[in-house]
Amino acid sequence: YEPGEANIKGEVNKTEIKEQGEIMIEGVGKFQFNPSDIITIREDIFKEGHFSIFDILVFLSKQGEVDLKYHFDENMNTNVIDSINDTTNWWFMAYYDGG
C-alpha cells in the first residue's frame, strides 16, 4: 500500500497525526495548541480524546492566552461563559479545523 491508501477493509494506513491545532475566534484572536493537551471538562458528554471549543477556551485560559470566566448552570446542565477577555454579552464565531 502507498501512504494514505485504503486497504480492502477500508482502513487507512500510514496516516499522520497532527500535533498542532489552530483556532481562530473572531474578536478574540488566533491561537495554536496541541490537540492532545485538551482534556474535556465534560467527560459525561465527550469520549476520551474528544472535546469542544469550550474545552479549548478553558485550556487557553489556563495557559494565560485568554481571560475566561464561566460557571456551571445546574438548570441547563451546562457551562455558561460569563466573559472572555472582560467582554460580556458577546457573540463570537470560532473556526477550528480538525475538532
Side-chain angles (χ1 to χ4, degrees), residues 58-77:
V58 170
F59 173 80
L60 292 173
S61 180
K62 289 179 181 177
Q63 299 297 310
E65 298 287 329
V66 298
D67 180 21
L68 175 68
K69 293 180 179 70
Y70 65 95
H71 69 278
F72 186 80
D73 185 308
E74 290 187 30
N75 290 327
M76 294 191 306
N77 192 31

Side-chain angles (χ1 to χ4, degrees), residues 9-26:
K9 295 180 183 177
E11 297 170 355
V12 178
N13 295 312
K14 298 182 182 179
T15 59
E16 179 182 340
I17 297 173
K18 294 185 177 184
E19 293 186 10
Q20 190 68 22
E22 182 176 270
I23 187 169
M24 200 290 274
I25 305 168
E26 288 187 12

Side-chain angles (χ1 to χ4, degrees), residues 19-59:
E19 293 186 10
Q20 190 68 22
E22 182 176 270
I23 187 169
M24 200 290 274
I25 305 168
E26 288 187 12
V28 178
K30 186 183 288 188
F31 306 93
Q32 297 195 4
F33 60 92
N34 184 333
S36 64
D37 291 340
I38 308 296
I39 299 172
T40 184
I41 62 172
R42 292 297 307 264
E43 294 176 348
D44 58 319
I45 296 175
F46 294 97
K47 291 182 177 182
E48 184 178 340
H50 296 256
F51 51 85
S52 67
I53 288 179
F54 178 76
D55 294 314
I56 298 170
L57 285 169
V58 170
F59 173 80

